[in-house]
Amino acid sequence: MTVTTPVDTAALDELLGADQVLRDPASLERYSHDDAEWAEFSRPLAVVRARSTDDVVAAVRWAAAAGVRVVPRGAGTGLSGGANAVADSIVLSLELMNAVLEVNTDERYAVTQPGVINDALRATVAEHGLWYPPDPASSAISTIGGNVATNAGGICCVKYGVTRDYVLGLTVVLADGSVVQLGRKTAKGVAGYDLTALMVGSEGTLGIVTSVTVKLLPLAGRDERAVIGYFPSLSAAGDAVAAISRAGIIPAALEIVDRTCLRAVDEWMHLGLPSEVDTLLLARIDERGAAGDEIADHVARVFGDAGGTDVERATDPEEIDRLFQARRLAYPALERLGPVLTEDICVPRSAVPEMLRRIQATAAANDVTIANIAHAGDGNLHPLIIAPEDDPAAKDRAKTAFDRIVADCLALGGTVTGEHGVGLLKLPGLRQELGERVIAMHRSVKDALDPAGTLNPGKAF
């Protein structure tokens, strides 16, 4: 952790109110990093908790005039260091901007502030018979603003897409404190450059989002059922994933949970999960009626042909939710075992079996424990590297394994992040993936919108 240069932040109290500016050591420590403690971070000069767009404008203008950097932050659930404070910075928290401002049932959109929790937005629009599809595994704790910052994906993205596919418009505070409205509220719109899409996934480096207009779908019209298969190995489950892709099947979800994750979740939450299996593969199909049953039968056959045992169908909503809860709880369950270094690679679906084999080989070669969960249907794998507390040598081996996994991912035609963002942890891999000319294009965009480097410097590219 680096130490920042003393700067008088007293003016922030007058601009926003003393109750919105935190300087006590406990708060500075708590807000200095997101869940990626493996990445570098500094203690911020202050934490500003904005309640409105005007508050964000005031904080950004003060920072620009004072030569201080601004690190935007949502709930702090990120796993790549995108919200980690840097030297001579303030952390600008948007967690108090947590209202759903509008739900339009005729045009099927909602306008929400960035601090709204993903599940809270879903619950609100469900009252109007509407559905917001993006569902990161952290949906109970992550914010819409954070989802926009990293272009978060989730469990149902294999069929329904990621955050960017549902963002119609944004209110954005730029680095000079000006406010712009991007996007539209119409069903179609192609005027001008797509600056809305540019902002989604930019991790707060180009502007600070203070409201989001999201597209919604009807809540009705889906009939959920699940297919569950237990596999003798991680690679066998990967073979089933590749076979489903080859068959042209697009499930609503297709998730891998390995034995390390299953045991960690069950020891924590006592869900009655099977302890003797190696790998669980979960498919969700939501087509209605006979069409859905036919797809589920096809998936079950593919599971069996790939070596799956005890393949079964589930239609009871509580049973389906219980199994998918195991997937959602995997990361916090593993955190109880020690610090977790989380990967977020994405490879072509046909390369999933080979990538899983390489991950296991990397674990053995570096003498580290790597648990595996995956949005396998779209090739988005999350190897979770666990290092014991107070074991520097194990942490070094974990970092070596992390770099090896990224290199193998790129060698198989993959990308270094599918939904967690680049932040700080993925910067070396991103440079290798994009190349210097494309990185220069990123810098040109950054320089045009933030020439002084005020907003979240050193992140995302």
Side-chain angles (χ1 to χ4, degrees), residues 139-335:
S139 61
I141 56 175
S142 62
T143 63
I144 295 298
N147 294 170
V148 169
T150 62
N151 193 19
I155 289 174
C156 73
C157 292
V158 57
K159 181 174 182 179
Y160 290 101
V162 296
T163 299
R164 182 180 283 126
D165 298 313
Y166 293 88
V167 175
L168 295 173
L170 300 168
T171 303
V172 180
V173 177
L174 299 178
D176 62 0
S178 59
V179 181
V180 294
Q181 302 292 333
L182 303 177
R184 55 190 166 81
K185 292 182 178 178
T186 54
K188 293 177 69 177
V190 297
Y193 295 144
D194 192 350
L195 300 180
T196 305
L198 176 65
M199 287 289 170
V200 178
S202 64
E203 302 185 46
T205 61
L206 302 179
I208 300 174
V209 172
T210 60
S211 79
V212 187
T213 300
V214 295
K215 177 175 67 175
L216 304 173
L217 299 182
L219 184 59
R222 294 174 296 123
D223 184 10
E224 291 192 343
R225 62 201 41 85
V227 180
I228 306 142
Y230 301 110
F231 288 80
S233 68
L234 195 60
S235 59
D239 290 336
V241 171
I244 286 173
S245 178
R246 284 195 301 271
I249 300 170
I250 304 176
L254 186 59
E255 299 288 309
I256 284 176
V257 188
D258 79 356
R259 63 175 179 268
T260 304
C261 296
L262 288 171
R263 290 169 186 167
V265 170
D266 210 47
E267 288 172 3
W268 178 32
M269 301 300 292
H270 308 292
L271 297 177
L273 300 171
S275 59
E276 71 283 357
V277 304
D278 186 276
T279 303
L280 170 66
L281 188 56
L282 290 169
R284 179 184 280 161
I285 294 93
D286 64 0
E287 279 80 6
R288 301 189 73 175
D293 290 335
E294 183 178 344
I295 294 171
D297 289 341
H298 194 169
V299 169
R301 289 194 300 272
V302 171
F303 279 15
D305 292 343
T309 59
D310 298 321
V311 177
E312 57 186 273
R313 293 265 301 273
T315 57
D316 178 62
E318 290 187 2
E319 174 67 5
I320 294 172
D321 287 344
R322 184 180 71 90
L323 290 167
F324 276 90
Q325 186 183 18
R327 165 62 183 88
R328 292 184 186 277
L329 292 174
Y331 182 80
L334 290 168
E335 279 191 309

Side-chain angles (χ1 to χ4, degrees), residues 69-88:
R69 281 81 75 82
V70 179
V71 178
R73 176 187 168 101
T77 61
L79 296 169
S80 62
N84 284 17
V86 299
D88 299 321

Side-chain angles (χ1 to χ4, degrees), residues 48-57 72-77 92-102 110-121 132 136 138-139 141-150 152 163 167 169-173 181 199 204 207-214:
V48 174
R49 302 176 77 197
R51 291 195 175 99
S52 66
T53 297
D54 287 344
D55 287 350
V56 175
V57 169
R73 176 187 168 101
T77 61
L92 182 53
S93 170
L94 305 169
E95 63 191 316
L96 300 182
M97 297 180 66
N98 56 9
V100 178
L101 304 174
E102 179 187 359
V111 182
T112 175
Q113 290 183 312
V116 172
I117 297 295
N118 186 293
D119 278 357
L121 174 63
Y132 177 64
S138 61
S139 61
I141 56 175
S142 62
T143 63
I144 295 298
N147 294 170
V148 169
T150 62
T163 299
V167 175
L170 300 168
T171 303
V172 180
V173 177
Q181 302 292 333
M199 287 289 170
I208 300 174
V209 172
T210 60
S211 79
V212 187
T213 300
V214 295

